[in-house]
Amino acid sequence: MSTTTLPSVPPQDAWTLTSHNFLSRWDSLSHQSTIPISISRVNQVDAARLDIEMSAMLKEQLVKVFTLMKPGMLFQYEAELDAFLEFLIWRFSIWVDKPTPGIALMNLRYRDERAVEAREKVRTGLEGPGLTVAQKLWYCIATVGGQYIWARLQSFSAFRRWGDTEQRPLARRLWIFIQRIEGIYRAASFGNLLIFLCTGRYRNLIERVLRARLVYGSPNMNRAVSFEYMNRQLVWNEFSEMLLLLLPLLNSSSVKNLLRPFSKDKSSSSDEDTTACPICQATPIIPFVALPCQHRYCYYCLRTRCAAAPSFRCSRCSEPVVAMQRHGGVATG
C-alpha cells in the first residue's frame, strides 16, 4: 500500500506572526517621505538630442521661406532667428505645462523637486507638481535670453577684435574676462555631467539651479524604440558618402559612350542636329571641331573635356580626339 504524506500543519501563531511582519513593513513604507527612483540617463540625453534636431528642422523650414530675399541678409540675424524658434518651443511646451517634443517622445516631464522634498508621502516616486511660473520664466531667460546674449556678445567681440594685442586695455580685459567666464562655465558643465552620470539627475546647470528634474510622465508606459528611422538614415549616409567618393572619379562622357551600344534608340544618332554641341546641346558661339572626326563643339565644352581626360572620345562617334581646331581654322593640340 502506498502511503500519502499529509502537509505539515502550521503553528497556531503563524498567521499572527505573518500579519505583524507585513504591518511593520507597511509602516516603514508609509513613513518614507520619498521612494528612490531611477530615471534612464539614455532617455534624458536622447530627449535633449531630439529637441536639438527639432529646432534644426524648424529652422530649415523657416529659412526656406526667405530663399528669395537678398543673399546673406538672413545670416546677419541668425542669432535672433534661433532665439525666436527656442522661444516658440518654450511658449507652446513648458509654459503651458507640456513637455518639449523630445521630452514627450521619451515619456518624460519636468517636476519641481523642491515641492516633492517638502511633501510627506510619495506613492510611486513619480508624483509631484510641474514647474512653477517663476521656474518657467527663469528657464526661458536662461535658455533663450542667455544663449542669445552670449552669442551676440561672442560675435560682437570677434568683429571688434577685442582679443588683438593692439586693442585698448579695456577691450583686452573684457576679452580675457569673457574667456574666463566661458572656461568656468565649461568646467562647471563638465562637473555637472559627471554628477549626472552618477546620480541620473539634472542634465545641465540650468535644471540643477532651478531644481527642475525630469521624471517619467507615465509609470506604466514602456520605452518602445523603433530603429527603422535610424537604419534608414545610416543606409542613406553610407550611400551618399559612397557617391561623394565615386562621382569625382567618373567621367560623364565616357559613361555615356560606354552605354551607347546598349541604347534602345539607335536611330536617333542619325536624326539628331549635327550643328548643336553634343555636350551642352546648344548652338556653339565659338565653334570648334574635334579632330579627326570633324564634329562641332563649343570651345569651352571641348577644351574642358580634353583637359579633364587626355583620352577623351567624341560624344557622337566615340572616336578618340587627338586635337581641336576652330571651325574653318588651324588645328591646335
Side-chain angles (χ1 to χ4, degrees), residues 74-209:
L74 195 62
F75 178 75
Q76 301 176 0
Y77 304 99
E78 186 175 3
E80 285 78 9
L81 180 62
D82 294 338
F84 175 71
L85 292 177
E86 293 294 334
F87 176 78
L88 287 181
I89 295 176
W90 171 85
R91 171 61 181 81
F92 294 102
S93 59
I94 296 178
W95 177 250
V96 293
D97 292 326
K98 293 182 179 180
T100 60
I103 294 176
L105 288 174
M106 292 293 106
N107 185 29
L108 298 173
R109 70 177 182 89
Y110 274 119
R111 184 180 72 179
D112 186 6
E113 200 69 8
R114 299 173 302 178
V116 174
E117 293 177 355
R119 299 178 64 179
E120 294 182 357
K121 297 181 181 180
V122 177
R123 185 166 59 89
T124 64
L126 299 178
E127 295 90 349
L131 302 182
T132 62
V133 177
Q135 285 177 317
K136 297 175 184 177
L137 292 176
W138 280 113
Y139 187 91
C140 178
I141 293 173
T143 56
V144 181
Q147 293 180 4
Y148 168 72
I149 293 174
W150 185 256
R152 274 303 178 190
L153 182 61
Q154 288 277 30
S155 61
F156 182 79
S157 60
F159 178 75
R160 294 290 182 177
R161 303 176 65 180
W162 285 359
D164 293 349
T165 56
E166 295 82 5
Q167 291 291 337
R168 294 175 297 177
L170 179 59
R172 182 66 180 174
R173 291 176 182 175
L174 288 175
W175 175 260
I176 295 175
F177 179 74
I178 293 174
Q179 296 300 316
R180 289 180 178 177
I181 292 295
E182 184 177 5
I184 294 173
Y185 178 78
R186 291 181 181 275
S189 299
F190 180 72
N192 181 81
L193 176 62
L194 297 179
I195 298 175
F196 168 74
L197 294 177
C198 294
T199 61
R201 297 185 178 187
Y202 311 118
R203 299 173 300 175
N204 50 52
L205 293 175
I206 298 175
E207 294 179 358
R208 185 170 297 276
V209 172

Side-chain angles (χ1 to χ4, degrees), residues 2 70 88 197 199 204 254 266 284 288:
S2 60
K70 182 179 178 181
L88 287 181
L197 294 177
T199 61
N204 50 52
S254 61
K266 296 183 179 180
F288 267 67

Side-chain angles (χ1 to χ4, degrees), residues 229-247:
Y229 173 76
M230 186 183 300
N231 294 335
R232 191 162 58 240
Q233 190 72 14
L234 289 175
V235 171
W236 172 250
N237 287 339
E238 294 297 330
F239 181 70
S240 60
E241 290 179 1
M242 183 184 66
L243 290 181
L244 291 176
L245 178 64
L246 295 180
L247 285 180

Side-chain angles (χ1 to χ4, degrees), residues 164-330:
D164 293 349
T165 56
E166 295 82 5
Q167 291 291 337
R168 294 175 297 177
L170 179 59
R172 182 66 180 174
R173 291 176 182 175
L174 288 175
W175 175 260
I176 295 175
F177 179 74
I178 293 174
Q179 296 300 316
R180 289 180 178 177
I181 292 295
E182 184 177 5
I184 294 173
Y185 178 78
R186 291 181 181 275
S189 299
F190 180 72
N192 181 81
L193 176 62
L194 297 179
I195 298 175
F196 168 74
L197 294 177
C198 294
T199 61
R201 297 185 178 187
Y202 311 118
R203 299 173 300 175
N204 50 52
L205 293 175
I206 298 175
E207 294 179 358
R208 185 170 297 276
V209 172
L210 297 178
R211 303 298 299 278
R213 185 186 179 187
L214 285 175
V215 296
Y216 291 121
S218 175
N220 300 322
M221 182 175 180
N222 296 326
R223 180 175 179 262
V225 180
S226 176
F227 295 97
E228 181 181 359
Y229 173 76
M230 186 183 300
N231 294 335
R232 191 162 58 240
Q233 190 72 14
L234 289 175
V235 171
W236 172 250
N237 287 339
E238 294 297 330
F239 181 70
S240 60
E241 290 179 1
M242 183 184 66
L243 290 181
L244 291 176
L245 178 64
L246 295 180
L247 285 180
L249 304 178
L250 298 178
N251 190 350
S252 60
S253 60
S254 61
V255 173
K256 290 181 180 178
N257 295 331
L258 181 63
L259 299 177
R260 187 181 297 275
F262 304 98
S263 177
K264 295 182 180 180
D265 189 9
K266 296 183 179 180
S267 63
S268 61
S269 58
S270 60
D271 300 335
E272 61 183 355
D273 187 10
T274 57
T275 61
C277 175
I279 297 177
C280 65
Q281 302 299 327
T283 303
I285 300 176
I286 306 177
F288 267 67
V289 294
L291 298 179
C293 62
Q294 297 292 328
H295 285 124
R296 189 181 302 182
Y297 288 83
C298 296
Y299 169 75
Y300 178 78
C301 295
L302 184 58
R303 190 65 179 175
T304 52
R305 292 301 190 279
C306 292
S311 59
F312 172 70
R313 293 178 177 269
C314 178
S315 300
R316 294 191 187 277
C317 61
S318 302
E319 189 175 351
V321 178
V322 297
M324 55 182 290
Q325 73 173 12
R326 193 182 183 101
H327 186 61
V330 183

Side-chain angles (χ1 to χ4, degrees), residues 16-48:
T16 305
L17 294 175
T18 305
S19 62
H20 285 304
N21 188 13
F22 278 111
L23 284 176
S24 60
R25 293 185 180 181
W26 177 257
D27 292 337
S28 63
L29 289 176
S30 61
H31 288 88
Q32 189 174 359
S33 59
T34 58
I35 298 177
I37 57 175
S38 177
I39 308 300
S40 174
R41 298 164 180 81
V42 177
N43 282 24
Q44 300 182 58
V45 176
D46 287 347

